[in-house]
């Protein structure tokens, strides 16, 4: 009991520590696993591990100790990885890869092949391993895990091309790497039993693709209809989906060994690209579950290593040479060849080449296959687990400590965030968002009402279903380039809460909310002028103006006096509401509390407003311009 409780406590502590210092959690998790596992044997009285993942029978009538008897640890690892990959599949939406889909597809196909062949050759000639073990190692390090890519994307404001490629590669390549590893493993196992490659390994590969892909696709559509038709009550939905995922994973594995990984990724992919009700709630639950499983898994797998395996890495120069070959030669080579004809810049390719951390799938499957082959007496199998853990720990350590610096040096960080986050997908918010989109801005609407988001998406806008109190918008990859925030909901509490919580994250260039009815009754009483979107109109006024005339107009300004006069007229006109001042360079600013502070006499400025058209206000400058036009 103490061991199991200790793993959970230490795992969550490691997650918290990683959050505080902004590094991938896998780094402190593996370090803790090594400390309570193989390294603890150096200071315990009897030379035993503080935490022993695999149950060992005691000697001389002493009680045995350990958590998982026999192969139970690896069953747990397989099921946990299946849940993690399903959660990763839920974040993959096809609309994200329109600009980079060629690079992504080539990276996970051609890039994987280059890594596989190159790492296999390197392991054979550098480590002097047999060909079969060398290529099993190569298959395991193909993957760049989503669990270690995610913290990098969340903590560094990378441009959209780089973040999209890294995110999709990390999730899609996990099952591919697992498939290749299974194929090589089956080849090794079959040849050990005298069965040829073509009669067993190739058949296994075809079965994995057919059964895993087909079952995952059908299961995804089945789950979509179960959720949409509300066949499961709301309070059971999350745990029902967990049971459903585990069932499909096990069923697929029964039909074709190790096909469950592919099945759950395909199932998540299907759901991610369907209009699933309450998808954010489902994803939130799966994220929390994944955090717990990852915390437990990495400590277990690291603790399961032995000092003899660690000595293989520390007493020989060859593992370090192999590590250098993987990250300094093979990764850049695979990235540049795979993206040769894509739309990525050289600096973007260099950064992607540098960031290739390996994650839970590599570590989990390495532990599983390594022990199985070592038990079968396959020469060199004892190297599999320590070598893969070296790659995992080394790549995570390097990327966690240098990614931000390298991103800045290569200029792939977004220096200016021009995207706009609009909270509330009501009618006038959608119209304003459409206008912003026409001005070249990336606009994202957030609303807890899925039908509102659906209406926004039907009009070509990007929407996120989420409750501002329950959803953590800072984890949304889509919002990486957001610099402005407009809180336009009908709730004053929601608008104020959103500004307080997310201003530093999404409102670095401006965060604005609707004025309250009380603030309108006492002009100038509020000290929060910098966050007010419109100082003369609240949610009701905007809604009525949009209902009367849902059109946004642009009025050219000839002088400061004309701006003030137009704003005075708009204040009297019930159905005309000023929104922005458009500068000559096309930038937009909300109308300030004191319009006299805004100099528009230089010309080229426009007043952007919603509702009925304002009457003409003739100024001296306008009269001169008109007279010149008559000459």
């Amino acid at each position: 009991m103490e061991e199991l409780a200790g793993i959970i406590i230490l795992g969550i502590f490691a997650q918290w520590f990683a959050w505080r210092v902004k590094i991938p959690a896998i780094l402190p998790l593996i370090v803790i696993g090594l400390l309570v596992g193989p390294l603890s044997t150096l200071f315990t009285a009897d030379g035993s591990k503080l935490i022993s993942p695999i149950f060992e029978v005691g000697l001389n009538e002493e009680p045995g100790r350990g958590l998982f008897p026999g192969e139970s640890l690896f069953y747990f690892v397989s099921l946990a990885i299946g849940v993690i990959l399903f959660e990763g599949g839920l974040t993959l939406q096809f609309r994200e890869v329109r600009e980079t889909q060629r690079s992504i597809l080539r990276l996970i196909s051609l890039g994987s092949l280059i890594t596989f062949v190159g790492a296999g050759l390197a392991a054979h000639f550098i480590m002097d391993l047999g060909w079969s073990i060398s290529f099993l190692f190569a298959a395991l390090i193909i993957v760049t895990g989503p669990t270690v890519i995610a913290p990098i994307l969340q903590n560094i404001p990378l441009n959209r091309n780089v973040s999209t490629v890294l995110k999709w590669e990390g999730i899609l390549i996990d099952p591919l790497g697992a498939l290749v590893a299974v194929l090589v493993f089956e080849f090794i196992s079959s040849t050990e039993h005298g069965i040829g490659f073509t009669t067993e390994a190739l058949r296994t590969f075809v079965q994995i693709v057919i059964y895993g892909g087909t079952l995952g696709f059908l299961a995804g559509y089945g789950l979509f209809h179960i959720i949409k038709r509300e066949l499961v009550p709301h309070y059971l939905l999350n745990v029902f989906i967990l049971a459903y995922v585990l069932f499909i994973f096990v069923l697929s594995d029964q039909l074709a060994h190790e096909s469950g990984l592919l099945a759950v990724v395909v199932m998540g992919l299907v759901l991610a690209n369907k209009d699933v009700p309450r998808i954010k709630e489902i994803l939130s639950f799966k994220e929390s579950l994944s955090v717990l499983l990852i915390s437990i898994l990495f400590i277990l797998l690291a603790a399961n290593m032995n000092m003899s395996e660690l000595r293989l890495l520390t007493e020989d120069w060859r593992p370090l040479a192999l590590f250098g070959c993987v990250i300094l030669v093979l990764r850049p080579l695979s990235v540049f060849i795979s993206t040769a004809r894509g739309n990525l810049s050289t600096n973007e390719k260099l950064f992607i080449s540098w960031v290739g951390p390996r994650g839970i799938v590599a570590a989990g499957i390495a532990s599983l296959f390594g022990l199985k082959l070592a038990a079968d007496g396959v020469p060199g199998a004892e190297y599999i687990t320590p070598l893969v853990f070296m790659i995992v720990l080394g790549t995570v350590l390097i990327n966690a400590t240098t990614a931000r610096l390298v991103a800045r040096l290569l200029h792939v960080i977004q220096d200016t965030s021009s995207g706009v986050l609009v909270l509330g997908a009501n009618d006038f918010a959608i119209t304003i968002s459409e206008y912003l989109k026409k001005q070249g801005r990336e606009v994202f609407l957030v609303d807890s009402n899925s039908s509102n988001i659906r209406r926004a998406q039907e009009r070509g806008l990007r929407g996120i279903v989420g409750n501002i109190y329950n959803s953590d918008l800072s984890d949304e990859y889509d919002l990486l380039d957001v610099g402005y925030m407009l809180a336009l909901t009908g709730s004053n509490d929601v608008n104020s809460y959103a500004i307080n919580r997310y201003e530093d994250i999404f409102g670095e260039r401006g965060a604005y909310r609707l004025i309250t009815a009380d603030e309108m009754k006492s002009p100038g009483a509020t000290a929060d002028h910098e966050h007010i979107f419109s100082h003369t109109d609240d949610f009701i006024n905007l809604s009525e103006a949009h209902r009367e005339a849902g059109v946004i107009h642009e009025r050219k300004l000839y002088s400061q006096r004309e701006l003030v006069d137009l704003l005075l007229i708009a204040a009297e006109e019930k159905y005309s509401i000023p929104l922005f001042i458009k500068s000559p360079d096309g930038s937009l600013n909300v109308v300030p509390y004191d319009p006299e502070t805004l100099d528009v006499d230089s010309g080229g400025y426009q007043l952007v407003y919603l509702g009925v058209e304002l009457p003409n206000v003739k100024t001296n400058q306008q009269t001169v311009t008109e007279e010149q036009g008559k000459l």
Side-chain angles (χ1 to χ4, degrees), residues 35 37-45 47-49 307 310-311:
L35 288 174
L39 296 179
S40 67
T41 61
L42 300 176
F43 52 82
T44 55
S48 62
K49 297 178 181 179
M307 282 302 299
L310 293 182
R311 291 191 184 97

Side-chain angles (χ1 to χ4, degrees), residues 159 162 336 344-354 406-412:
N159 68 44
V162 172
F336 272 83
L344 298 176
S345 68
T346 300
N347 281 359
E348 290 171 340
K349 295 175 184 178
L350 285 171
F351 183 79
I352 295 172
S353 299
W354 182 247
V406 174
R408 290 194 180 280
L409 291 175
L410 295 175
H411 304 291
V412 296

Side-chain angles (χ1 to χ4, degrees), residues 565-592:
D565 290 343
L566 282 172
L567 293 178
L568 290 174
I569 293 173
E572 297 296 327
E573 172 54 63
K574 183 178 181 181
Y575 300 122
S576 293
I577 299 179
L579 302 176
F580 308 105
I581 303 296
K582 187 175 181 180
S583 302
D585 62 359
S587 61
L588 298 169
N589 296 285
V590 298
V591 180

Side-chain angles (χ1 to χ4, degrees), residues 264-559:
V264 295
V265 170
V266 172
M267 184 165 62
L269 192 63
V270 170
L271 289 178
N273 290 278
K274 300 290 288 182
D275 186 17
V276 181
R278 297 191 294 272
I279 186 66
K280 295 301 296 183
E281 297 178 32
I282 297 168
L283 189 55
S284 177
F285 171 73
K286 290 295 178 291
E287 287 173 342
S288 299
L289 186 60
S290 293
V291 168
L292 179 60
L293 291 175
I294 289 168
S295 303
I296 295 173
L297 281 177
F298 273 114
I299 293 179
L300 280 175
L301 296 177
N304 196 50
M305 295 181 65
N306 299 314
M307 282 302 299
S308 60
E309 294 174 323
L310 293 182
R311 291 191 184 97
L312 293 175
L313 304 178
T314 58
E315 297 177 353
D316 196 344
W317 61 270
R318 295 179 300 171
L320 186 61
L322 179 61
F323 177 77
C325 180
V326 170
I327 67 168
L328 298 178
V329 178
L330 295 178
R331 176 65 175 173
L333 188 65
S334 66
V335 170
F336 272 83
I337 292 178
S338 301
T339 60
R341 297 181 180 179
N343 65 338
L344 298 176
S345 68
T346 300
N347 281 359
E348 290 171 340
K349 295 175 184 178
L350 285 171
F351 183 79
I352 295 172
S353 299
W354 182 247
V355 177
R358 274 61 176 178
I360 186 64
V361 172
I365 298 179
S367 297
L368 179 64
F369 290 170
L371 283 182
K372 284 185 177 181
L373 293 176
D376 291 339
V378 177
E382 69 276 9
Y383 280 93
I384 288 295
T385 301
L387 285 178
V388 171
F389 265 79
M390 176 193 68
I391 299 293
V392 171
L393 190 59
T395 53
V396 171
L397 180 61
I398 290 176
N399 292 156
T401 55
T402 65
R404 182 178 291 273
L405 174 62
V406 174
R408 290 194 180 280
L409 291 175
L410 295 175
H411 304 291
V412 296
I413 286 182
Q414 298 176 117
D415 294 325
T416 59
S417 300
S418 60
V420 183
L421 176 64
V422 179
L423 300 175
N426 50 67
D427 290 337
F428 69 80
I430 290 176
T431 298
I432 292 173
S433 299
E434 286 181 314
Y435 174 80
L436 293 172
K437 183 181 178 181
K438 290 178 182 177
Q439 305 304 307
R441 303 297 182 95
E442 284 281 348
V443 184
F444 305 88
L445 291 106
V446 177
D447 199 301
S448 59
N449 190 322
S450 59
S451 61
N452 286 350
I453 293 298
R454 192 181 305 114
R455 286 191 301 110
Q457 291 172 336
E458 289 171 353
R459 292 168 67 168
L461 298 168
R462 305 176 72 172
I464 299 172
V465 179
N467 186 308
I468 194 69
Y469 293 110
N470 299 331
S471 303
D472 189 358
L473 298 178
S474 61
D475 291 337
E476 292 284 345
Y477 293 104
D478 285 348
L479 305 181
L480 291 173
D481 61 352
V482 166
Y484 298 91
M485 184 169 65
L486 303 178
L488 307 180
T489 76
S491 169
N492 299 328
D493 291 338
V494 169
N495 293 338
S496 298
Y497 175 82
I499 295 295
N500 292 333
R501 180 175 182 185
Y502 289 114
E503 179 184 5
D504 293 339
I505 302 174
F506 302 122
E508 60 183 272
R509 306 190 67 189
Y512 307 97
R513 63 172 175 84
L514 292 180
I515 196 170
T516 68
D518 291 337
E519 290 171 334
M520 285 180 59
K521 293 175 183 177
S522 304
T526 178
D528 191 28
H529 293 307
E530 64 175 317
H531 291 129
I532 302 299
F533 179 64
S534 172
H535 295 274
T536 56
D537 300 279
D538 61 1
F539 181 86
I540 295 177
N541 292 356
L542 278 160
S543 299
E544 291 178 348
H546 185 272
R547 190 180 304 114
E548 184 70 19
V551 180
I552 291 182
H553 306 274
E554 293 181 344
R555 171 70 66 84
K556 187 174 182 180
L557 298 172
Y558 292 92
S559 68

Side-chain angles (χ1 to χ4, degrees), residues 27-70:
L27 190 58
L29 286 170
I30 290 181
V31 171
I32 289 174
L34 293 175
L35 288 174
V36 300
L39 296 179
S40 67
T41 61
L42 300 176
F43 52 82
T44 55
D46 58 355
S48 62
K49 297 178 181 179
L50 289 177
I51 292 179
S52 180
I54 297 180
F55 183 83
E56 297 176 356
V57 179
L59 300 176
N60 300 324
E61 298 184 353
E62 293 182 0
R65 53 190 309 273
L67 295 172
F68 296 89

